[in-house]
Amino acid sequence: DELAKIRKAIAEHPKQWKRAVSGKAFKAACELWGEKLTRPPKGFDPAHPFIENLKRKDFVVMASFTEVDACKPGFMDRVAEVYRLSVPLMSFLTKAVGLKF
């Protein structure tokens, strides 16, 4: 049920979705990760501009850090920045399922 709500929100609010996942800083530091369907989900237009996101089974933000990165001064600031960059996405997802953010 929650996944259907998220897909519906993406389909109905593509501009907000684009803002959540397409910012330069977000794309430079993070990527969406997780399983996807091989075909578009039932009831969604295969030509939708965000069909690849509509195929998602889960929405995971991933940022890669090396062991060297983790040992550098300021590492926690970099981690906090990834969290900050993820706020628009988390806000979109929580609102889609009817939760406060």
Side-chain angles (χ1 to χ4, degrees), residues 13-78:
H13 305 286
K15 287 181 184 177
Q16 288 96 331
W17 178 251
K18 183 177 181 178
R19 278 195 299 268
V21 297
S22 297
K24 281 184 183 182
F26 178 84
K27 289 173 75 173
C30 312
E31 65 179 291
L32 282 178
W33 183 84
E35 290 186 58
K36 288 185 183 179
L37 299 170
T38 55
R39 286 177 259 151
K42 198 174 201 173
F44 291 93
D45 180 3
H48 191 282
F50 292 109
I51 194 62
E52 290 304 311
N53 292 131
L54 292 169
K55 289 181 186 179
R56 290 192 172 282
K57 293 181 180 182
D58 44 37
F59 296 84
V60 178
V61 174
M62 187 172 93
S64 296
F65 298 103
T66 66
E67 185 176 340
V68 171
D69 292 333
C71 294
K72 288 181 181 177
F75 174 68
M76 291 309 298
D77 292 333
R78 289 186 62 204

